Amino acid sequence: MTNELKGKVNYSTSGNIAILEVDNPPVNPLSSGVRAGLSEYITKANEDDSIEGIILTGAGRSFIAGADISEFGQTPDGPDLHTALKEIEYSKKPVLAAINGTALGGGLETALVCNYRMGTNKAIVGLPEVNLGLLPGAGGTQRLPRLIGPSQALKMMIAGTPLSAKKALQQGVIDAISENSLMDDAIVFLQEKIGSEVHPKVRDKNEKVLEARGDDNVLAEAKALAAKTRRGQFAPGQIIACVEAAINEDDFDIGMKKESEYFLECLMNPQREAMIHIFFGERAASKISDVPKDTPLLPIGSAGIVGSGTMGGGIAMNFANAGIPVLILDQDEKNLERGMGVIEKNYQMMVDRGRMSQEQKDVVMGLITPTLSYEDLSNVDIAVEAVYENLDLKQEIFKTLDTVTNDHAILASNTSGLDIDAIAASTNRPGKVVGTHFFSPANVMRLLEVVRGKDSSDETMATVMSIGKKMGKAAVVSLNAPGFIGNRMLAGYTHQANMLLLEGALPNQIDSALESFGMSMGPFRMLDLVGLDLGWRARKLADMETPLANKISDALCEQDRFGQKTSKGFYNYSEGSRAPNPAPENEAIYKEISDQNNIERREISDQEIIDRCILALVNEGARILEEGVAQRSGDMDIVYINGYGFPIWRGGPMFYANQLGLSEVINKMSNFSELDKNFWEPAPLLKKLADESGAFGEAPAPEDRSELLSFKMANMGGV
Ligand code: 3HC
């Protein structure tokens, strides 16, 4: 094949069968060379009289991972995908897709133009384009409904989650599973078909789409699913419109034409760029710039968790879900029993909701063992401490862990803000100490901040990042600095929300404005959920004067309005419900506190609310970047999307700022400087990049930021 093209297809023969093997490591996307290779070799096999059938497969662990995502937004080289797929679909000789691994997006669409599909029992098939702000644009929206029915196809395309081989077989996406050698089984299967006069084409299977014609429920259910699970996203509506065409158009090619039009609209939509930024951003975040790629990983065959509370239980579930046996320790027998009960209940809920089978539950429960004794942790490869935020207690636990565990074991703390170096100092193995800040509920939330202490070794960091990946987490490295990344940014955001409340906006207006921007939950609903009393009690304990921004929430606490836990906070809650109802009785308190502090309440626009809260994130993010606490701006986007409910389709706060233009960010901030000059002082990096018409990217090299690295660790407190 021509060399400038990316990826290739290998051609070989086995008797009367041609074997086309897609070879574009590591996951075989349909890059230019693959498209060209498919066209060339389908033609070659068709022109060779000795060939009677064709097998299409992938080299390595993937069949085909879809279109080459890096090509979107560029002008691609080589033939287009539609041309290559048309040649497969109209091959004179039958084509069988031998699915050796993941067949995603364009990969599954390639398999759908083949006459037959066989997978290994580890194969995975799916159309996850929606996660990239796209729709399956190579015929997937027209062929999958024909194969498995529009209703199932819509669910699969809107959720974007792939199917296992077993489920794919049950639903009819594949025709057979190979339990032994895929290639041997594929050859036997195809030989049996070679004599047939006709070989099925998915495009001709109209029965299931015709059944759905006139049934309004199919599309209505899909719309409801999209509204519930993909609020604010553009692509799901486009997918539904494509399937509507598959159902209602008699001519398959008209459906295909509509799919192309709607695909183009997705491609041009800014959401696509934002979501692809997150796809690559998540992969970039998993790499640590100064830790070599080939750093050996410490083998992790077992884990121990100290603390069986909500966090400890959730973390134990993560290990079990990743197939790693885990001991969960608590020194209080009742707590331990309760903790195990919660874990069991969480898994049961997954079984009840069809997210896990009873057998799978039995397997993961079998991997979790409760214990009351530290001695039982002696052989674990990693121990994660998950007790409440108290440095003395954590240091005590680390001292014990250091004594009881093998020398090679990694010791991790789930602290959300304490100094990892101070914790490491209580052990004789600071190189093996690291922070693993899971977010609550730890078994659900994808974010994992991996906190790098000054002595955390490369092996420790690389190993913990790889466990994070095994757990399916979005793992991001933070230096050991106050608030790490996420909570440090959050502080400015909630400060602005509280100030807006003092200046005249009501909680409901602030929450609604930010939720319509796309945040999954507004700040006051979030504060009610977490509990207003936490900060109030901490301030009382420290005998600290209430800062202006917290005066309203402290006044609510004085009236026992702690949030959801007392059924009243910024909102009122009916018994057993988490739905917030306005609390007009609070308005007198808001007014009184504004008056006491000489703040004139005024009408505030939704735009001002959004700008102040979101740009507070951006400005703090710029400081975090210039200090090197985060490695790159994209890491902060990953943090905010996976841990704080920032809308993925906006690409995260730093990407949002880049889209807005950094000069515009500064302009907007300067409008607020008369409210609080200090707060709205642009971070030096933000100013510098705005002057250079630049954008946020990588953190500056350490030598360029040495002066900024004077953390006041002594002032760190739990956030
Ligand atoms: N295009 C380009 N690069 C891709 C890619 C793709 N489709 N899929 C993965 N890669 C790259 C990753 O960026 C990564 O690069 P890096 O090593 O430089 O960071 C490398 O391949 C390995 O990827 P992962 O780290 O994600 O490997 P895993 O083994 O963990 O996961 C996977 C493999 C499940 C295939 C996962 O990569 C994945 O989900 N890929 C995306 C699948 C997808 O969304 N396909 C649809 C594409 S859009 C499409 O097909 C449009 C069509 O309808 C027209």
Side-chain angles (χ1 to χ4, degrees), residues 27 61 65 67-69 106 109 128-129 136-137 279-280 283 287 469:
V27 294
R61 64 183 202 247
D68 184 337
I69 300 171
E109 291 171 298
E129 285 87 343
F279 176 85
F280 286 119
R283 279 146 187 87
K287 299 173 178 105
K469 181 162 185 180

Side-chain angles (χ1 to χ4, degrees), residues 627-640:
E627 290 171 12
V629 171
Q631 302 183 83
R632 37 187 103 72
S633 63
D635 289 9
M636 288 179 273
D637 293 331
I638 301 302
V639 165
Y640 256 74

Side-chain angles (χ1 to χ4, degrees), residues 277-278 281-286 416 437-439 445-451 465 473-479 483-491 519-520 617 621 624 629-648 651-655:
H277 159 72
I278 291 304
E282 198 172 312
R283 279 146 187 87
S286 69
S416 59
H437 181 205
F438 289 86
F439 285 67
M445 296 291 283
R446 283 198 73 227
L447 179 60
L448 171 63
E449 278 182 329
V450 178
V451 185
M465 293 302 281
K473 299 288 174 196
V476 174
V477 176
S478 167
L479 279 195
F484 308 142
I485 296 175
N487 283 342
R488 174 165 164 193
M489 284 165 81
L490 182 70
M519 299 299 292
S520 61
L617 290 177
I624 289 174
V629 171
Q631 302 183 83
R632 37 187 103 72
S633 63
D635 289 9
M636 288 179 273
D637 293 331
I638 301 302
V639 165
Y640 256 74
I641 283 167
N642 291 289
Y644 296 85
F646 199 95
I648 185 170
M654 308 310 281
F655 181 83

Side-chain angles (χ1 to χ4, degrees), residues 6 24-31 61-62 64-72 81-82 102-109 124 126-132 134-140 162 259 263 276 279-280 282-284 286-287 293 469:
K6 194 173 148 208
N24 189 15
V27 294
N28 300 334
L30 291 155
S31 315
R61 64 183 202 247
S62 233
I64 297 172
D68 184 337
I69 300 171
S70 62
E71 284 183 356
F72 293 126
L81 184 57
H82 283 278
T102 34
L104 296 178
L108 176 57
E109 291 171 298
I124 281 177
L127 295 176
E129 285 87 343
V130 70
N131 296 324
L132 304 171
L134 288 169
L135 57 82
E259 181 192 87
F263 181 81
I276 287 184
F279 176 85
F280 286 119
E282 198 172 312
R283 279 146 187 87
S286 69
K287 299 173 178 105
K293 230 176 144 183
K469 181 162 185 180

